[in-house]
Amino acid sequence: MATDLRRAAGPRAARPATRGSLRERYANLVGELRRRRVQLHWSNLFGVVAFACMLVLTVTGILLTPSYTPSSEPVTYVGPYGPLVGTEVSAAFDSTMRISLEQPGGMLLRQTHHWAALLMPAAMMVQILSMFFTGGFRRPRRLSWVLLVALFVVVLVGGWSGYALPDDMLSGTGLRIVEGIVMAIPFVGTQLVVWMFGGRFPGEIIEHLYPVHVLIVPVLIVGLLAARAVLGYARGQAALPPSATTPAPRLGVRLWPDAAVRAVGLTAITSGVLVLLGATSTIAPIWAYGPTSAGNVGAGSQPDWYMGFLDGALRLVPAGWETEWFGWTWTFAILVPLVVVGLWFLGLVAYPFVESWVTRDMGDDHVLDRPRNVPARTGVGVAGMLFYAVLWAAGSADVISTQFRVSFESVITAFQVLLVVGPPLAFELTRRICIGLQLRDREIAEHGHPTGRIVRFANGEYVEVHAPATAAQRRVLAVTAVGSPPARLDRAGRVTGLERVRAGLARRFAVGHVAPRDDRALDAGPRVPDRLPSGTKE
């Protein structure tokens, strides 16, 4: 009996220790979050905006799912929209019409969902640009950069798959274009179309895209976000580059609760704006487009803005650009855009590794760069932006032609020339602007700020009075040139061809490349860590 009592009391006696250990772990976690610091900057807000969009997409998507029918089976429409009564439509289109016009709050949910899907890629683009121009992709954050680009691609796939689910004429036209693109791929195109559509167009594309949109894409997004969060917590946040107003690294705010509360507030504001847009701004009125039809296409069809660059890439290829090899028709008017866009994304992923190889920068960098201090990188970024912008604008070449009353052919020709000539010119112009800004900084450091006051000396000479730069400003503007690493010899004492290419790129990259002087750390004080030692009082 006593043994039974001891056995019964054993687990109970151990429970307080377990609760104590859990309390200790919780206290340690909270203490760590309080000690960890987060720098406040406008560029960091767009990650919260993207997260808010994902949250709105998740909530509205869950509420829309029970009412949507992911089926291409034909049904007869008998809803309240008179022009379509008696028309044969798909079950997907019929359920979307029912959500929009019959279900209470359905239109609000649908439009809010769509607006969030439009805003999320924009917020992620700003994140990518901010991280690129400040060098935030360098070691030890290269994997975080790769995950961000992968997350952007997954978001594009999720938006495209959701765009097709209403099965209206607009989305049907887009799917028809996708079918033609996939079918033009040699060797495997026909099989891919059968796998995607389940037969002849439209086949069962709705049934195939639905699990991609509601299961595969959300799981990938959550996984990539979790991986980036773990990496961000482990690597810490890179320090902002010093400025004239903040020459020394700022302490920042506590991750918990200060930064967390700010993020919750911005999430609430973003969600409220999206709901307001969904309540007041009409988007995707499928009743005006009508149901999809295998034999018809919608005139003036345009994809959602984030997919416009793919449409533009197809429009800029010369017509009739194809040939026959090995018994197959190779349609370069479709294959070349696919290859170019694929290489563009591949270059986006590989750039951190290429820059590290060119400059031989194998160390960890924990301070962001001023874009003007690295002219070559900034020039590459602007050239890439212009390349994307030309493809994106070309997707609306027909609208530009009709609105400005110019021929469609001339618009396409202008975009073709700009696509080839524009990026190199943008690179060189940006590089020169960055070097010019560096010269202005040097002028301010040496001679001070111009005041606009002109003084006349007794000998008749006129001189503008300059206000001397402060010590803090001089510390920020004091830079030193970064040279290019020379070519290395192999074991045989020769320079390989690949090493010659790397050395040439390094010399080009080093033009105008400057870095803060080493003595700035002594003048500005010790670097502020992203966390405080345990036991530090607030």
Side-chain angles (χ1 to χ4, degrees), residues 229-300:
V230 171
L231 285 176
Y233 188 83
R235 304 297 186 187
Q237 184 185 21
L240 297 173
S243 63
T245 56
T246 56
R250 291 173 291 183
L251 181 62
V253 299
R254 296 175 297 179
L255 180 59
W256 178 266
D258 301 338
V261 171
R262 289 170 181 261
V264 170
L266 182 58
T267 300
I269 293 173
T270 305
S271 302
V273 171
L274 290 173
V275 172
L276 181 63
L277 286 172
T280 59
S281 303
T282 301
I283 190 170
I286 63 170
W287 52 89
Y289 305 141
T292 186
S293 173
N296 299 318
V297 294

Side-chain angles (χ1 to χ4, degrees), residues 423-444:
L425 290 179
F427 171 83
E428 186 62 24
L429 180 61
T430 303
R431 188 182 66 84
R432 291 181 179 271
I433 291 175
C434 290
I435 295 176
L437 292 174
Q438 293 178 20
L439 295 176
R440 190 193 68 173
D441 291 344
R442 185 183 306 170
E443 181 75 14
I444 293 174

Side-chain angles (χ1 to χ4, degrees), residues 176-320:
R176 190 59 131 171
I177 295 174
V178 171
E179 181 202 26
I181 293 174
V182 176
M183 191 170 290
I185 301 176
F187 306 110
V188 297
T190 304
Q191 295 300 323
L192 286 176
V193 168
V194 173
W195 176 73
M196 289 178 60
F197 290 85
R200 298 186 60 181
F201 183 87
E204 298 178 348
I205 186 63
I206 300 298
E207 291 85 345
H208 293 174
L209 285 181
Y210 183 71
V212 173
H213 185 71
V214 303
L215 182 61
I216 297 177
V217 168
V219 169
L220 290 176
I221 289 177
V222 171
L224 291 172
L225 282 177
R228 290 199 76 234
V230 171
L231 285 176
Y233 188 83
R235 304 297 186 187
Q237 184 185 21
L240 297 173
S243 63
T245 56
T246 56
R250 291 173 291 183
L251 181 62
V253 299
R254 296 175 297 179
L255 180 59
W256 178 266
D258 301 338
V261 171
R262 289 170 181 261
V264 170
L266 182 58
T267 300
I269 293 173
T270 305
S271 302
V273 171
L274 290 173
V275 172
L276 181 63
L277 286 172
T280 59
S281 303
T282 301
I283 190 170
I286 63 170
W287 52 89
Y289 305 141
T292 186
S293 173
N296 299 318
V297 294
S301 297
Q302 296 286 336
D304 280 337
W305 75 269
Y306 49 83
M307 300 298 289
F309 71 100
L310 295 176
D311 193 11
L314 293 173
R315 298 189 183 200
L316 293 184
V317 180

Side-chain angles (χ1 to χ4, degrees), residues 86-103:
T87 304
E88 187 178 88
V89 300
S90 67
F93 182 87
D94 182 69
S95 64
T96 307
M97 289 289 292
R98 187 170 58 253
I99 292 172
S100 303
L101 303 180
E102 300 178 52
Q103 179 177 312

Side-chain angles (χ1 to χ4, degrees), residues 102-119:
E102 300 178 52
Q103 179 177 312
M107 181 73 77
L108 175 63
L109 290 175
R110 243 194 94 233
Q111 296 192 152
T112 302
H113 190 84
H114 202 138
W115 280 113
L118 294 179
L119 180 60

